[in-house]
Amino acid sequence: MNESQKIPEVSFLKFLNHAGSILKNPLPFHEKNFNKLGDIFRLKIGFGKSVLFCRDAILLNHVLQKNQKNYTKSSIQTKDVAKYVGKGLLTAEGEVWQKQRKLIQPAFHKSQLMLLLDTIQNTISAELENIQTDRPIDIFPVFNDLAFQTVVKSIFNIEMEAKDVKVLQHTTEATQSMLVQELRQPFLVWWFELSGKTKRHLDMTDNSRAILRRLVAERIQSKDRRDDLLDMLLDAKYEDGSTMEESQLIDEILILFAAGHETTSNALTFCTELLARHPAVQNKIFEEVRNIKQETNNLMERIKMASYTKQVIEEAMRLYPPAYFIDRVNKENDECNGVFLPKGSNLLFSVYEIHRHKDFWEDPTAFKPERFAKENALKLSKHYYPFGAGPRMCIGNNFAMYEMVLAILSLVEKYEIVEKKSPIEIKPLITLKPKNAILEFKLRYE
């Protein structure tokens, strides 16, 4: 490789000097380095440790699809995330992942998800009743509860006790915050362990597991069928005819809780924030939902007909991708787009930067849902990764889209989101979260 092709580096000292701001929000630090050094740079994070930050969509496509067999998830997910949520689809690798993906995939087939649509819609309608009108409110807690309850009802199809819901929600939030500290301040991990802080959060996870084990045991003992995700997971059989062991089932459910509600609540909040700043787009959705309801009562048909609403959600996830980083490590040497990657390179792709890259998007920071009109889909797919891509694309992508489309249709039909002009605030943790999502809503009387 020529000298001119060497990957530029950001020193460990510079990393330390910015540690405080990185802990709060690493995106400005990364953006500054990208703009100065190009689409890939090496960040030194300790003695002999470094991460390659990248916003090259061609390289990401190569890693996730064209040469995906040469790449695994990094220890961030297989070790750091896994210690809090277990070895499920999100964190497993190799044969374990392949076995679990093959087993669970049918539960998320569109035909199976259709069985859940009434449950999802009823949950959405009930949760949207909690929006207080004619006064400023933080909309994120409403969507957080909505997404969480949707996961609860879709997995268990029961009214979970409030104290159990509180524990599961708190565990998800607290362990994510703890994990962020560990990842952004790796030089303090020893102190987190010595002080008992890490153990306290692991104990929270154990408590959540106990709740889930009890709910699963109650279902098995009752012999009731509810046609929910839990029934599908309990029915699922490996090639040898065996079913999931309890510990593996709990891991998968815990990950569904953590990943299934977190990203959706974030996306719905950002979408609503954008609608508050673009009244014309909101009005167009209102017209769409009125027209759709005149045509059909079938929920799947409504989802299919809501083409503009889907474009709005896709554009919201372009600007504010909930899963805003993708990590991989290569098993063997590789080269793509002029970049040589020695075996064992830690790659961290910034989906946030790729989704706003001026080389891929016209007027990249502008909110333009029409970008995602059907005729543009193929062209955009190489630069758009809200659910990842390739074999490890998010298994719940259809579930999430169905839920979000139904939620936005229901929200805009019932409420007018009062216009707001101030900038949208973000809080990047393990997922990209909204901050100070204060909005005002008015009941529609039409």
CSV table of all heavy atoms in Angstrom, one decimal, residues 223-264:
chain,number,residue,atom,x,y,z
A,223,LYS,N,-50.9,-23.7,29.7
A,223,LYS,CA,-51.2,-24.4,28.5
A,223,LYS,C,-52.2,-23.5,27.6
A,223,LYS,O,-52.8,-24.1,26.7
A,223,LYS,CB,-51.8,-25.8,28.7
A,223,LYS,CG,-50.8,-26.7,29.4
A,223,LYS,CD,-51.4,-28.1,29.6
A,223,LYS,CE,-50.4,-29.0,30.3
A,223,LYS,NZ,-51.0,-30.4,30.5
A,224,ASP,N,-52.2,-22.3,27.9
A,224,ASP,CA,-53.1,-21.4,27.0
A,224,ASP,C,-52.3,-21.0,25.7
A,224,ASP,O,-51.1,-20.8,25.8
A,224,ASP,CB,-53.4,-20.0,27.7
A,224,ASP,CG,-54.4,-20.2,28.9
A,224,ASP,OD1,-55.1,-21.3,28.8
A,224,ASP,OD2,-54.4,-19.4,29.8
A,225,ARG,N,-53.0,-20.9,24.6
A,225,ARG,CA,-52.4,-20.4,23.4
A,225,ARG,C,-52.9,-19.0,23.1
A,225,ARG,O,-54.1,-18.7,23.2
A,225,ARG,CB,-52.8,-21.3,22.2
A,225,ARG,CG,-52.0,-22.6,22.2
A,225,ARG,CD,-51.9,-23.2,20.8
A,225,ARG,NE,-51.2,-22.3,19.9
A,225,ARG,CZ,-49.9,-22.2,19.7
A,225,ARG,NH1,-49.1,-23.0,20.4
A,225,ARG,NH2,-49.3,-21.4,18.8
A,226,ARG,N,-52.0,-18.1,22.9
A,226,ARG,CA,-52.4,-16.7,22.7
A,226,ARG,C,-51.9,-16.2,21.3
A,226,ARG,O,-52.1,-15.0,21.0
A,226,ARG,CB,-51.8,-15.8,23.8
A,226,ARG,CG,-52.3,-16.1,25.2
A,226,ARG,CD,-51.6,-15.3,26.2
A,226,ARG,NE,-52.2,-15.6,27.5
A,226,ARG,CZ,-53.2,-14.9,28.1
A,226,ARG,NH1,-53.9,-14.0,27.4
A,226,ARG,NH2,-53.7,-15.3,29.3
A,227,ASP,N,-51.3,-17.0,20.5
A,227,ASP,CA,-50.8,-16.7,19.2
A,227,ASP,C,-50.0,-15.4,19.2
A,227,ASP,O,-50.1,-14.6,18.3
A,227,ASP,CB,-52.0,-16.5,18.2
A,227,ASP,CG,-52.7,-17.8,17.9
A,227,ASP,OD1,-52.1,-18.8,17.8
A,227,ASP,OD2,-54.0,-17.8,17.8
A,228,ASP,N,-49.1,-15.3,20.2
A,228,ASP,CA,-48.2,-14.2,20.3
A,228,ASP,C,-46.8,-14.7,20.0
A,228,ASP,O,-46.6,-15.9,19.6
A,228,ASP,CB,-48.2,-13.6,21.7
A,228,ASP,CG,-48.1,-14.6,22.8
A,228,ASP,OD1,-47.6,-15.7,22.5
A,228,ASP,OD2,-48.5,-14.3,23.9
A,229,LEU,N,-45.8,-13.8,20.1
A,229,LEU,CA,-44.4,-14.2,19.8
A,229,LEU,C,-43.9,-15.3,20.7
A,229,LEU,O,-43.1,-16.2,20.3
A,229,LEU,CB,-43.5,-13.0,19.9
A,229,LEU,CG,-43.6,-12.0,18.7
A,229,LEU,CD1,-42.7,-10.8,18.9
A,229,LEU,CD2,-43.2,-12.7,17.4
A,230,LEU,N,-44.4,-15.3,22.0
A,230,LEU,CA,-43.9,-16.3,22.9
A,230,LEU,C,-44.4,-17.7,22.5
A,230,LEU,O,-43.6,-18.7,22.5
A,230,LEU,CB,-44.4,-16.0,24.3
A,230,LEU,CG,-44.0,-17.1,25.4
A,230,LEU,CD1,-42.5,-17.3,25.5
A,230,LEU,CD2,-44.6,-16.7,26.8
A,231,ASP,N,-45.6,-17.8,22.0
A,231,ASP,CA,-46.1,-19.1,21.5
A,231,ASP,C,-45.3,-19.5,20.3
A,231,ASP,O,-44.9,-20.7,20.2
A,231,ASP,CB,-47.6,-19.0,21.1
A,231,ASP,CG,-48.5,-19.2,22.2
A,231,ASP,OD1,-48.1,-19.7,23.3
A,231,ASP,OD2,-49.7,-18.8,22.1
A,232,MET,N,-44.9,-18.6,19.4
A,232,MET,CA,-44.1,-19.0,18.2
A,232,MET,C,-42.7,-19.4,18.7
A,232,MET,O,-42.2,-20.4,18.1
A,232,MET,CB,-44.0,-17.7,17.3
A,232,MET,CG,-45.4,-17.3,16.8
A,232,MET,SD,-45.2,-15.8,15.7
A,232,MET,CE,-46.9,-15.2,15.7
A,233,LEU,N,-42.2,-18.8,19.6
A,233,LEU,CA,-40.8,-19.2,20.1
A,233,LEU,C,-40.8,-20.5,20.8
A,233,LEU,O,-39.9,-21.3,20.7
A,233,LEU,CB,-40.2,-18.1,21.0
A,233,LEU,CG,-39.9,-16.7,20.3
A,233,LEU,CD1,-39.5,-15.7,21.4
A,233,LEU,CD2,-38.9,-16.9,19.2
A,234,LEU,N,-41.9,-20.7,21.6
A,234,LEU,CA,-42.0,-22.0,22.3
A,234,LEU,C,-42.3,-23.2,21.3
A,234,LEU,O,-41.8,-24.3,21.5
A,234,LEU,CB,-43.2,-22.0,23.3
A,234,LEU,CG,-42.9,-21.1,24.6
A,234,LEU,CD1,-44.2,-20.9,25.4
A,234,LEU,CD2,-41.8,-21.7,25.4
A,235,ASP,N,-43.0,-22.9,20.2
A,235,ASP,CA,-43.3,-23.9,19.2
A,235,ASP,C,-42.1,-24.2,18.3
A,235,ASP,O,-42.0,-25.3,17.7
A,235,ASP,CB,-44.4,-23.5,18.3
A,235,ASP,CG,-45.8,-23.4,19.1
A,235,ASP,OD1,-45.8,-24.1,20.2
A,235,ASP,OD2,-46.7,-22.8,18.6
A,236,ALA,N,-41.2,-23.2,18.2
A,236,ALA,CA,-40.1,-23.3,17.2
A,236,ALA,C,-39.2,-24.5,17.5
A,236,ALA,O,-38.8,-24.8,18.7
A,236,ALA,CB,-39.2,-22.0,17.2
A,237,LYS,N,-38.8,-25.2,16.5
A,237,LYS,CA,-37.9,-26.4,16.7
A,237,LYS,C,-36.7,-26.4,15.8
A,237,LYS,O,-36.8,-25.9,14.7
A,237,LYS,CB,-38.7,-27.7,16.4
A,237,LYS,CG,-39.8,-28.0,17.4
A,237,LYS,CD,-40.5,-29.3,17.1
A,237,LYS,CE,-41.4,-29.8,18.2
A,237,LYS,NZ,-42.4,-28.8,18.5
A,238,TYR,N,-35.6,-26.8,16.4
A,238,TYR,CA,-34.3,-26.9,15.6
A,238,TYR,C,-34.5,-28.1,14.6
A,238,TYR,O,-35.5,-28.9,14.7
A,238,TYR,CB,-33.2,-27.2,16.5
A,238,TYR,CG,-32.9,-26.0,17.5
A,238,TYR,CD1,-33.1,-26.1,18.8
A,238,TYR,CD2,-32.4,-24.8,17.0
A,238,TYR,CE1,-32.8,-25.1,19.7
A,238,TYR,CE2,-32.1,-23.7,17.8
A,238,TYR,CZ,-32.3,-23.9,19.2
A,238,TYR,OH,-32.1,-22.8,20.0
A,239,GLU,N,-33.5,-28.3,13.8
A,239,GLU,CA,-33.5,-29.4,12.8
A,239,GLU,C,-33.6,-30.7,13.4
A,239,GLU,O,-34.2,-31.7,12.8
A,239,GLU,CB,-32.3,-29.3,11.9
A,239,GLU,CG,-32.3,-28.0,11.0
A,239,GLU,CD,-31.1,-28.0,10.1
A,239,GLU,OE1,-30.1,-28.8,10.3
A,239,GLU,OE2,-31.1,-27.2,9.1
A,240,ASP,N,-33.1,-30.9,14.6
A,240,ASP,CA,-33.2,-32.2,15.3
A,240,ASP,C,-34.5,-32.4,16.1
A,240,ASP,O,-34.6,-33.4,16.8
A,240,ASP,CB,-32.0,-32.4,16.2
A,240,ASP,CG,-31.9,-31.4,17.4
A,240,ASP,OD1,-32.9,-30.6,17.5
A,240,ASP,OD2,-31.0,-31.4,18.2
A,241,GLY,N,-35.4,-31.4,16.0
A,241,GLY,CA,-36.7,-31.6,16.6
A,241,GLY,C,-36.7,-31.0,18.0
A,241,GLY,O,-37.8,-31.0,18.6
A,242,SER,N,-35.6,-30.6,18.6
A,242,SER,CA,-35.6,-30.0,19.9
A,242,SER,C,-36.0,-28.5,19.9
A,242,SER,O,-36.1,-27.9,18.9
A,242,SER,CB,-34.2,-30.1,20.5
A,242,SER,OG,-33.2,-29.3,19.7
A,243,THR,N,-36.4,-28.1,21.1
A,243,THR,CA,-36.8,-26.7,21.3
A,243,THR,C,-35.7,-25.9,22.0
A,243,THR,O,-34.8,-26.5,22.5
A,243,THR,CB,-38.1,-26.6,22.0
A,243,THR,OG1,-38.0,-27.2,23.3
A,243,THR,CG2,-39.2,-27.3,21.2
A,244,MET,N,-35.9,-24.6,22.1
A,244,MET,CA,-34.9,-23.7,22.8
A,244,MET,C,-34.9,-24.1,24.3
A,244,MET,O,-35.9,-24.3,24.9
A,244,MET,CB,-35.3,-22.3,22.7
A,244,MET,CG,-34.5,-21.5,21.6
A,244,MET,SD,-34.7,-19.7,21.7
A,244,MET,CE,-36.4,-19.6,21.0
A,245,GLU,N,-33.7,-24.1,24.8
A,245,GLU,CA,-33.5,-24.2,26.3
A,245,GLU,C,-34.0,-22.9,26.9
A,245,GLU,O,-34.0,-21.9,26.3
A,245,GLU,CB,-32.1,-24.5,26.7
A,245,GLU,CG,-31.6,-25.9,26.2
A,245,GLU,CD,-30.2,-26.1,26.7
A,245,GLU,OE1,-29.6,-25.3,27.4
A,245,GLU,OE2,-29.6,-27.2,26.4
A,246,GLU,N,-34.4,-23.0,28.2
A,246,GLU,CA,-35.0,-21.9,28.9
A,246,GLU,C,-34.0,-20.7,28.9
A,246,GLU,O,-34.4,-19.5,28.6
A,246,GLU,CB,-35.3,-22.2,30.3
A,246,GLU,CG,-36.0,-21.0,31.1
A,246,GLU,CD,-36.0,-21.3,32.6
A,246,GLU,OE1,-34.9,-21.3,33.2
A,246,GLU,OE2,-37.1,-21.3,33.1
A,247,SER,N,-32.7,-20.9,29.2
A,247,SER,CA,-31.8,-19.8,29.3
A,247,SER,C,-31.7,-19.1,27.9
A,247,SER,O,-31.6,-17.8,27.9
A,247,SER,CB,-30.4,-20.3,29.7
A,247,SER,OG,-29.9,-21.3,28.8
A,248,GLN,N,-31.7,-19.8,26.8
A,248,GLN,CA,-31.6,-19.2,25.5
A,248,GLN,C,-32.8,-18.5,25.2
A,248,GLN,O,-32.8,-17.4,24.6
A,248,GLN,CB,-31.3,-20.3,24.4
A,248,GLN,CG,-31.1,-19.7,23.0
A,248,GLN,CD,-29.8,-19.0,22.9
A,248,GLN,OE1,-28.7,-19.5,23.3
A,248,GLN,NE2,-29.9,-17.7,22.5
A,249,LEU,N,-34.0,-19.0,25.5
A,249,LEU,CA,-35.3,-18.3,25.3
A,249,LEU,C,-35.3,-17.0,26.1
A,249,LEU,O,-35.7,-16.0,25.5
A,249,LEU,CB,-36.4,-19.2,25.8
A,249,LEU,CG,-37.8,-18.6,25.7
A,249,LEU,CD1,-38.2,-18.3,24.2
A,249,LEU,CD2,-38.9,-19.6,26.3
A,250,ILE,N,-34.8,-17.0,27.3
A,250,ILE,CA,-34.8,-15.8,28.1
A,250,ILE,C,-33.9,-14.7,27.5
A,250,ILE,O,-34.2,-13.5,27.4
A,250,ILE,CB,-34.4,-16.0,29.6
A,250,ILE,CG1,-35.4,-17.0,30.2
A,250,ILE,CG2,-34.3,-14.7,30.3
A,250,ILE,CD1,-36.9,-16.5,30.2
A,251,ASP,N,-32.7,-15.2,27.0
A,251,ASP,CA,-31.8,-14.3,26.3
A,251,ASP,C,-32.5,-13.6,25.1
A,251,ASP,O,-32.4,-12.4,24.9
A,251,ASP,CB,-30.6,-15.0,25.8
A,251,ASP,CG,-29.6,-15.2,26.9
A,251,ASP,OD1,-29.8,-14.7,28.0
A,251,ASP,OD2,-28.5,-15.8,26.7
A,252,GLU,N,-33.2,-14.4,24.3
A,252,GLU,CA,-33.8,-13.9,23.1
A,252,GLU,C,-35.0,-12.9,23.5
A,252,GLU,O,-35.1,-11.8,22.8
A,252,GLU,CB,-34.4,-15.0,22.2
A,252,GLU,CG,-33.4,-16.0,21.7
A,252,GLU,CD,-32.4,-15.4,20.8
A,252,GLU,OE1,-32.5,-14.2,20.4
A,252,GLU,OE2,-31.4,-16.1,20.4
A,253,ILE,N,-35.7,-13.2,24.5
A,253,ILE,CA,-36.8,-12.3,24.9
A,253,ILE,C,-36.2,-11.0,25.5
A,253,ILE,O,-36.7,-9.9,25.2
A,253,ILE,CB,-37.7,-13.0,26.0
A,253,ILE,CG1,-38.5,-14.1,25.3
A,253,ILE,CG2,-38.7,-12.0,26.6
A,253,ILE,CD1,-39.3,-15.0,26.3
A,254,LEU,N,-35.1,-11.1,26.3
A,254,LEU,CA,-34.5,-9.9,26.9
A,254,LEU,C,-34.0,-9.0,25.8
A,254,LEU,O,-34.1,-7.8,25.9
A,254,LEU,CB,-33.3,-10.4,27.8
A,254,LEU,CG,-32.8,-9.3,28.7
A,254,LEU,CD1,-33.8,-8.8,29.7
A,254,LEU,CD2,-31.6,-9.9,29.5
A,255,ILE,N,-33.4,-9.6,24.7
A,255,ILE,CA,-33.0,-8.8,23.6
A,255,ILE,C,-34.1,-8.1,22.8
A,255,ILE,O,-34.0,-7.0,22.4
A,255,ILE,CB,-32.1,-9.6,22.7
A,255,ILE,CG1,-30.7,-9.8,23.3
A,255,ILE,CG2,-31.9,-8.9,21.3
A,255,ILE,CD1,-29.8,-10.8,22.5
A,256,LEU,N,-35.2,-8.9,22.7
A,256,LEU,CA,-36.4,-8.3,22.1
A,256,LEU,C,-36.9,-7.1,22.9
A,256,LEU,O,-37.3,-6.0,22.3
A,256,LEU,CB,-37.5,-9.3,21.9
A,256,LEU,CG,-37.3,-10.4,20.9
A,256,LEU,CD1,-38.5,-11.4,20.9
A,256,LEU,CD2,-37.2,-9.8,19.5
A,257,PHE,N,-36.9,-7.2,24.2
A,257,PHE,CA,-37.3,-6.0,25.0
A,257,PHE,C,-36.3,-4.9,24.8
A,257,PHE,O,-36.7,-3.7,24.7
A,257,PHE,CB,-37.3,-6.4,26.5
A,257,PHE,CG,-38.6,-7.0,26.9
A,257,PHE,CD1,-38.8,-8.3,27.2
A,257,PHE,CD2,-39.7,-6.1,27.1
A,257,PHE,CE1,-40.0,-8.8,27.6
A,257,PHE,CE2,-41.0,-6.6,27.5
A,257,PHE,CZ,-41.1,-8.0,27.8
A,258,ALA,N,-35.0,-5.2,24.9
A,258,ALA,CA,-34.0,-4.1,24.9
A,258,ALA,C,-34.0,-3.4,23.5
A,258,ALA,O,-34.0,-2.2,23.4
A,258,ALA,CB,-32.6,-4.7,25.2
A,259,ALA,N,-33.9,-4.2,22.5
A,259,ALA,CA,-33.7,-3.7,21.1
A,259,ALA,C,-35.0,-3.3,20.5
A,259,ALA,O,-35.2,-2.4,19.7
A,259,ALA,CB,-32.9,-4.7,20.2
A,260,GLY,N,-36.1,-4.1,20.8
A,260,GLY,CA,-37.4,-4.0,20.1
A,260,GLY,C,-38.1,-2.7,20.5
A,260,GLY,O,-38.8,-2.1,19.6
A,261,HIS,N,-38.0,-2.2,21.7
A,261,HIS,CA,-38.7,-1.0,22.1
A,261,HIS,C,-37.9,0.2,22.0
A,261,HIS,O,-38.3,1.3,21.6
A,261,HIS,CB,-39.3,-1.2,23.5
A,261,HIS,CG,-38.6,-0.5,24.5
A,261,HIS,ND1,-37.5,-1.2,25.2
A,261,HIS,CD2,-38.6,0.7,25.1
A,261,HIS,CE1,-37.0,-0.4,26.1
A,261,HIS,NE2,-37.7,0.7,26.1
A,262,GLU,N,-36.6,0.1,22.3
A,262,GLU,CA,-35.7,1.2,22.3
A,262,GLU,C,-35.6,2.0,21.0
A,262,GLU,O,-35.8,3.2,20.9
A,262,GLU,CB,-34.3,0.7,22.7
A,262,GLU,CG,-33.2,1.8,22.8
A,262,GLU,CD,-33.2,2.5,24.1
A,262,GLU,OE1,-33.8,2.1,25.1
A,262,GLU,OE2,-32.6,3.6,24.2
A,263,THR,N,-35.3,1.2,19.9
A,263,THR,CA,-35.1,1.9,18.6
A,263,THR,C,-36.4,2.5,18.1
A,263,THR,O,-36.4,3.5,17.5
A,263,THR,CB,-34.5,0.9,17.6
A,263,THR,OG1,-35.3,-0.3,17.6
A,263,THR,CG2,-33.1,0.5,18.0
A,264,THR,N,-37.5,1.8,18.3
A,264,THR,CA,-38.8,2.2,17.8
A,264,THR,C,-39.2,3.5,18.5
A,264,THR,O,-39.7,4.5,17.9
A,264,THR,CB,-39.9,1.1,18.0
A,264,THR,OG1,-39.4,0.0,17.3
A,264,THR,CG2,-41.2,1.6,17.5
